[in-house]
């Protein structure tokens, strides 16, 4: 089979019988041309399947591209996919296209991705910061008017807009719910590294709920995991304590999947569980999973609306938008076994 190549501006010019400059002028609406010439050029473009290089044009004329750059830590995490969906719905109405890339939680890879987006002159830059990243290199494009928004976590070294969940309040509500069910030994399995913004905020919510209930903070009940396997191992570690927890709080959706898997393997339906962030099929688990649900679509939409306002000329001070969470109570946050047995005997 003969090799094929993408048609070029020169190919369109040969098809029409005019210069490449004339074709460019017609496609960019940049100068006079006769109606007949315009008609012939557009017919040739359709016939050959020519696609103009918008990025090259925008760089040449000094204008922004019609794209929004989004950097996330993990393309496989459904949370970030839903964030992107909410964002795309908002920017599409303005004729903008969303482009995504993964930093894999690597600061250097994040920097390369942001510089790639800057090189193609994106209209908006959105970043879920990788742990340890420094964002001072974005000061110049930010000062030049490029809307830059951080999501899920604040950036470092750059004052700009940020959209986050109500992490601390949400975890406080989830742990308080477990306390109200009668649990006094509640384990916390957070994300890693321990200094990650979301981990710190969620642990603060856990601590404040214990304090409010008059329960002591026991550091042996607090551990971390990154990924399902390490979350399963952390679950085994906590349940193997001399005085084990009767309930667990999973600090994010990936950790929750590891905890659920390990509890199922161990046949431990007596251990209550609340997770931060909802899971696919959480309602059909046995028991169904109680969660502190984030609204990732609303996070994406809020970030897009904030950036579009900047694009339209909003020059007010940088602000942080906090998207509320909500407690969704299902079967997994049941009272401790002893409390259930007493209630059943009394009934």
């Amino acid at each position: 089979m003969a090799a094929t190549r993408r048609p070029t501006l020169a190919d369109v010019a040969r098809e029409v019988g005019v210069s490449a400059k004339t074709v460019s002028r017609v496609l960019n609406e940049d100068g006079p041309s006769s109606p007949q010439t315009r008609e012939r050029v557009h017919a040739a473009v359709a016939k050959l399947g020519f696609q103009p290089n918008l990025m090259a044009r925008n760089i040449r004329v000094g204008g922004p591209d019609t794209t929004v750059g989004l950097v996330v830590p993990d393309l496989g995490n459904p949370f970030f996919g839903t964030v992107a969906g909410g964002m795309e719905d908002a920017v599409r109405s303005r004729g903008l296209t969303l482009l995504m890339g993964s930093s894999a939680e690597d600061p250097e890879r994040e920097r390369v991705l942001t510089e790639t987006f800057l090189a193609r002159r994106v209209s908006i830059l959105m970043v879920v910061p990788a742990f340890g990243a420094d964002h001072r290199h974005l000061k110049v494009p930010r000062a030049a008017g490029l809307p830059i928004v951080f999501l899920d976590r604040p950036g470092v070294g750059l004052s700009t807009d940020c959209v986050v969940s109500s992490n601390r309040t949400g975890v406080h509500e989830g742990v308080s719910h477990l306390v109200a069910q009668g649990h006094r030994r509640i384990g916390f399995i957070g994300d890693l590294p321990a200094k990650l913004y979301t981990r710190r905020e969620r642990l603060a919510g856990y601590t404040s709920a214990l304090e409010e209930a008059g329960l002591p903070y026991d550091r042996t009940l607090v551990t971390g995991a990154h990924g399902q396997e390490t979350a399963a191992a952390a679950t085994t570690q906590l349940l193997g304590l001399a005085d084990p927890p009767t309930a667990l709080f999973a600090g994010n959706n990936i950790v929750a999947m590891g905890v659920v898997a390990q509890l199922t393997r161990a046949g431990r339906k007596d251990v209550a569980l609340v997770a931060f962030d909802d899971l696919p099929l959480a309602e059909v688990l046995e028991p169904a999973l109680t969660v502190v649900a984030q609204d990732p679509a609303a996070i994406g939409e809020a970030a897009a609306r904030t950036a579009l306002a900047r694009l339209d000329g909003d020059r007010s001070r940088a602000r942080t938008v906090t998207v509320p969470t909500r407690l969704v109570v299902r079967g997994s946050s049941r009272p401790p076994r002893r409390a259930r047995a007493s209630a059943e005997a009394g009934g």
Side-chain angles (χ1 to χ4, degrees):
M1 181 179 293
T4 60
R5 64 178 179 83
R6 297 174 65 182
T8 66
L9 197 72
D11 294 329
V12 176
R14 279 193 295 272
E15 179 74 19
V16 180
V18 296
S19 68
K21 186 174 182 179
T22 297
V23 173
S24 177
R25 191 163 56 237
V26 169
L27 295 179
N28 295 325
E29 299 180 354
D30 184 24
S33 58
S34 69
Q36 294 83 358
T37 299
R38 290 197 296 272
E39 184 177 344
R40 290 165 58 205
V41 166
H42 287 298
V45 166
K47 176 182 175 181
L48 298 176
F50 172 70
Q51 292 289 332
N53 188 334
L54 296 179
M55 187 176 93
R57 175 187 179 276
N58 291 329
I59 291 174
R60 184 175 68 253
V61 302
D65 196 7
T66 56
T67 54
V68 174
L70 171 62
V71 180
V72 300
D74 181 6
L75 289 174
N77 189 326
F79 173 81
F80 295 118
T82 308
V83 167
M87 188 181 297
E88 187 173 34
D89 287 344
V91 301
R92 188 191 299 121
S93 64
R94 295 288 292 271
L96 298 171
T97 301
L98 184 67
L99 301 179
M100 290 180 65
S102 171
S103 69
E105 207 70 78
D106 180 344
E108 181 56 31
R109 184 165 168 176
E110 178 196 296
R111 182 176 182 126
V112 170
L113 271 171
T114 57
E115 289 177 350
T116 299
F117 284 139
L118 293 175
R120 68 170 296 144
R121 303 184 66 85
V122 292
S123 294
I124 295 169
L125 180 63
M126 309 274 201
V127 182
V128 179
F131 178 75
D134 188 323
H135 302 96
R136 284 176 289 185
H137 67 286
L138 297 175
K139 283 185 176 181
V140 172
R142 171 74 176 86
L146 175 68
I148 299 176
V149 180
F150 293 125
L151 299 98
D152 192 50
R153 318 162 185 172
V156 175
L158 179 68
S159 177
T160 193
D161 299 314
C162 184
V163 180
V164 297
S165 285
S166 54
N167 294 284
R168 190 178 300 211
T169 301
V171 175
H172 183 108
E173 186 177 10
V175 174
S176 295
H177 169 67
L178 287 170
V179 171
Q181 293 297 299
H183 295 280
R184 296 297 178 263
R185 298 278 291 170
I186 303 170
F188 177 88
I189 306 176
D191 198 0
L192 292 176
K195 292 185 178 179
L196 189 69
Y197 166 80
T198 48
R199 155 71 180 250
R200 288 187 286 108
E201 286 292 296
R202 292 169 194 176
L203 181 59
Y206 166 83
T207 304
S208 68
L210 295 181
E211 183 178 353
E212 182 179 84
L215 297 176
Y217 175 84
D218 183 346
R219 67 177 58 191
T220 65
L221 293 177
V222 176
T223 187
H226 189 70
Q228 294 185 47
E229 289 186 8
T230 53
T235 303
T236 300
Q237 170 198 325
L238 289 175
L239 297 183
L241 293 172
D243 187 8
T246 60
L248 299 174
F249 191 97
N252 65 28
N253 56 353
I254 303 299
V255 167
M257 287 189 280
V259 174
V260 167
Q262 184 56 32
L263 291 178
T264 301
R265 283 192 291 264
R268 295 297 302 271
K269 291 186 178 181
D270 59 311
V271 179
L273 174 62
V274 175
F276 194 91
D277 206 10
D278 213 347
L279 298 177
L281 304 178
E283 291 183 282
V284 301
L285 294 173
E286 182 51 49
L289 184 61
T290 294
V291 299
V292 176
Q294 298 189 85
D295 192 342
I299 292 172
E301 183 179 359
R305 297 297 179 196
T306 300
L308 290 171
R310 298 297 188 190
L311 203 61
D312 291 338
D314 181 355
R315 295 294 177 263
S316 60
R317 296 183 64 179
R319 56 186 175 270
T320 296
V321 178
T322 302
V323 177
T325 57
R326 62 189 179 91
L327 178 65
V328 181
V329 177
R330 301 183 181 119
S332 70
S333 54
R334 61 185 65 180
R337 176 180 288 174
R338 289 188 299 275
R340 290 202 307 274
S342 298
E344 290 167 1

